[in-house]
Amino acid sequence: MIVMKFGGTSLGTAERFTHTAAIVKQELERKPVVVVSAVGGMTDLLLLAGEEALQKDLAPTQEEPQYTRTLKKIYQVHEKILTDLHLPIELFLIFYEELSEIYRGIYLLKELTARTKDLTASFGERISARILAACLCRIGINARAIDSWDCGFITSNEFGAARLLSDSPEKIKKIVSSLDFLPVTTGFIGKSREGNITTLGRGGSDLSASLIGAAVQAEVIEIWTDVSGIMTSDPRLVPNAKTLASMSFQEAAELSFFGAKILHPKTIEPAVKSKIPVLVKNSFKPEDPGTLILSENMKTQGLIAVTLKKEVVCVNLYSTGMLEAPGFLSRVFEIFKKHGISIDVVATSEVNISLTLDHPDGLEKAEAELSEFAEVHVEKDRAIICLVGEDLKRTPGIAGKVFKILGDANINIEMISQGASQINLTFVVKSSDGEKAVRALHRKFFEKVDFSEDYEFKESVF
Ligand code: ADP
Ligand code: ASP
Ligand code: MG
């Protein structure tokens, strides 16, 4: 059995659906379990309509509430795909009525809970699974759409960040192996025991694929996207980025955690536990070999990537009492935990701790509590840059080179940290410097420019 996950980038138009179906057809002998995301951009639209429905009632000049326009767009995108595929619009209409009613409810009540957000977002995957299954049937494959919960994908009730329950893998395995059709299931979403639809968090269908892959003990978990694998940097940012042939689980985990959007940060965990290789492939160029992420004895060389994570908040705490006060750090972490804030990077000195946070929700309350025993400075608009690679463990002086490269580019490093894994070097700069910094580092470390003077470029990684 193999898991084939197709992201929104592989499901944006009728043509992409047709290509995706053809890719699946090539692999029938390996018994694929197909996992899909919503049509590209659809989750954003579904969430946007919810936010818009919360806005004030109609102004006298307005003919219809804003959310209904977004809903029309949602309709049109699916209608165009289905018409171009010569598939019946009913595949979409069976969901549309319910979806319209939910938005109307939000509009009337002016209430949008995390639970309702997950519910609205879930329609994207539910619809795209039906469309892909119909495309597969049309080319003679006995495929059927099946919502993840009908495959046993039962989660906690943590809306927006749901976790698979511990007894679910066993159920998934049992159900999936008993199916007499090729399943096209919904990534990103699940259902709780209480019957609520949940989501795993944005970009979560990679994680769904990996969880399902681990449950069914797949031979490989394939992540099909719009680039030919994991690259030395985001190609949208660095056009010269190169595709990596392979990398270790740990490297993949580090780079996805620090901003490489290509994989959801938690994707690797279930694969590591079950020792299942992950293969990242390009649905636009299926002939390209892709990037293979493997567990054991991976001897990748060199630095493998530089990533950028934008819109990060940085919190600096100063307290002269820090050194003498045992438990100071745990007190700080407790406060963030209490307010549901997760911390990405930490750097400490005797009188200062700097932390970066993924999102600022709940920060004001945490700030008030922290101010009781420390001076708190919050800096918004920061970016985390992360260099990843086994070489950070064994090559001295890389940090020095980073300082020089960024100094020459007039970029100030505000915080620096080397993770416990020692394969990442992470630092914080102003958001406005983020892209420039990534390009400068990529040029020096990954492109054959001035390498005699700087880092020894290693061809063997690619
Ligand atoms: P999907 O819809 O298939 O899940 P995503 O948009 O989530 O696709 O992820 C693919 C995108 O990730 C690519 O188009 C690319 O711009 C971006 N990306 C960011 N960092 C990297 C990287 N290091 N290597 C490859 N792609 C990256
Ligand atoms: N459709 C979801 C999102 O846009 C999940 C995913 O694409 O992985 O976040
Ligand atoms: Mg994605």
Side-chain angles (χ1 to χ4, degrees):
M1 225 176 240
I2 62 169
V3 168
M4 303 177 85
K5 177 258 166 176
F6 294 91
T9 51
S10 304
L11 305 168
T13 60
E15 196 194 353
R16 298 313 312 154
F17 270 97
T18 309
H19 276 276
T20 297
I23 291 170
V24 174
K25 191 170 185 182
Q26 296 284 318
E27 297 290 352
L28 288 186
E29 277 178 14
R30 298 169 81 198
K31 294 210 165 100
V33 176
V34 176
V35 178
V36 291
S37 293
V39 164
M42 193 45 64
T43 311
D44 288 340
L45 288 177
L46 288 161
L47 292 172
L48 175 68
E51 296 295 338
E52 287 172 347
L54 272 185
Q55 285 163 16
K56 285 205 190 74
D57 285 337
L58 281 182
T61 49
Q62 233 180 325
E63 278 169 20
E64 55 180 347
Q66 184 61 36
Y67 85 87
T68 57
R69 284 183 219 172
T70 304
L71 197 51
K72 258 185 212 154
K73 178 111 195 272
I74 292 169
Y75 185 100
Q76 284 160 358
V77 171
H78 287 111
E79 183 192 37
K80 168 129 182 65
I81 292 174
L82 289 167
T83 314
D84 292 350
L85 286 168
H86 305 291
L87 286 171
I89 186 72
E90 281 68 27
L91 274 180
F92 170 70
L93 290 182
I94 47 171
F95 295 102
Y96 184 67
E97 204 174 314
E98 189 187 341
L99 189 59
S100 314
E101 279 177 11
I102 296 169
Y103 287 124
R104 176 112 186 111
I106 301 169
Y107 180 68
L108 293 175
L109 295 170
K110 294 285 176 276
E111 190 179 280
L112 177 60
T113 58
R115 173 174 145 192
T116 310
K117 276 189 195 172
D118 277 9
L119 176 62
T120 54
S122 73
F123 282 84
E125 273 68 13
R126 288 150 81 192
I127 297 165
S128 65
R130 267 86 189 162
I131 303 178
L132 185 62
C135 294
L136 288 165
C137 287
R138 235 208 342 232
I139 53 173
I141 300 168
N142 178 21
R144 212 179 297 166
I146 174 165
D147 291 321
S148 64
W149 46 87
D150 290 330
C151 294
F153 202 98
I154 306 300
T155 71
S156 64
N157 248 327
E158 293 156 287
F159 300 108
R163 285 170 299 108
L164 191 69
L165 296 186
S166 57
D167 55 350
S168 287
E170 205 46 51
K171 285 187 193 140
I172 295 172
K173 187 176 177 200
K174 212 166 150 197
I175 297 174
V176 171
S177 50
S178 69
L179 297 174
D180 59 358
F181 55 86
L182 185 157
V184 180
T185 191
T186 52
F188 178 53
I189 62 175
K191 205 180 244 182
S192 68
R193 281 221 174 91
E194 294 78 4
N196 296 313
I197 290 183
T198 57
T199 70
L200 308 185
R202 295 305 307 270
S205 31
D206 299 332
L207 177 57
S208 302
S210 165
L211 289 164
I212 293 171
V216 302
Q217 284 150 9
E219 186 189 314
V220 60
I221 298 160
E222 295 183 352
I223 307 287
W224 289 81
T225 182
D226 64 345
V227 286
S228 293
I230 300 184
M231 305 174 89
T232 48
S233 198
D234 185 344
R236 289 182 214 179
L237 204 67
V238 182
N240 286 337
K242 298 180 182 68
T243 305
L244 297 146
S246 61
M247 67 177 62
S248 67
F249 276 135
Q250 207 182 16
E251 287 167 329
E254 298 280 356
L255 73 88
S256 56
F257 184 73
F258 286 109
K261 192 189 169 217
I262 185 149
L263 280 185
H264 182 281
K266 292 189 200 145
T267 307
I268 293 301
E269 244 172 65
V272 176
K273 277 195 195 139
S274 317
K275 295 200 166 68
I276 300 174
V278 176
L279 180 62
V280 180
K281 294 269 292 176
N282 189 347
S283 69
F284 291 71
K285 291 185 182 168
E287 63 288 357
D288 283 0
T291 302
L292 185 62
I293 308 168
L294 282 169
S295 59
E296 281 141 20
N297 301 327
M298 278 289 302
K299 287 254 179 329
T300 43
Q301 293 185 11
L303 293 174
I304 59 154
V306 53
T307 66
L308 174 66
K309 187 167 180 173
K310 288 198 268 195
E311 288 160 34
V312 167
V313 178
C314 197
V315 178
N316 292 305
L317 300 173
Y318 301 87
S319 168
T320 43
M322 222 163 117
L323 189 66
E324 303 93 78
F328 181 88
L329 276 179
S330 69
R331 200 167 159 200
V332 169
F333 290 137
E334 268 310 310
I335 291 176
F336 283 110
K337 191 172 157 206
K338 185 169 131 198
H339 295 286
I341 301 173
S342 60
I343 297 168
D344 280 349
V345 185
V346 184
T348 56
S349 76
E350 280 175 17
V351 291
N352 165 260
I353 315 181
S354 300
L355 311 150
T356 67
L357 317 174
D358 211 350
H359 58 81
D361 301 350
L363 179 57
E364 270 174 30
K365 284 187 192 145
E367 203 181 333
E369 285 183 39
L370 292 164
S371 302
E372 286 171 18
F373 58 94
E375 199 182 311
V376 188
H377 292 276
V378 176
E379 325 255 22
K380 298 206 168 133
D381 298 323
R382 293 300 184 265
I384 298 179
I385 293 179
C386 182
L387 264 174
V388 183
E390 292 286 338
D391 255 22
L392 286 163
K393 257 190 217 164
R394 40 180 186 242
T395 315
I398 294 182
K401 277 169 192 157
V402 168
F403 284 128
K404 179 165 186 325
I405 295 164
L406 296 188
D408 289 349
N410 237 340
I411 296 168
N412 185 32
I413 299 180
E414 300 192 351
M415 176 178 163
I416 186 152
S417 144
Q418 179 157 25
S421 67
Q422 292 185 3
I423 64 160
N424 79 59
L425 182 70
T426 308
F427 41 93
V428 175
V429 298
K430 286 206 174 64
S431 257
S432 52
D433 284 333
E435 298 193 354
K436 186 168 145 198
V438 167
R439 288 197 194 101
L441 292 168
H442 193 275
R443 207 162 38 242
K444 289 283 183 177
F445 285 119
F446 299 98
E447 297 167 36
K448 287 185 175 178
V449 178
D450 293 344
F451 68 87
S452 53
E453 133 199 5
D454 275 318
Y455 180 72
E456 191 190 343
F457 182 87
K458 293 196 176 93
E459 191 74 54
S460 57
V461 203
F462 307 108

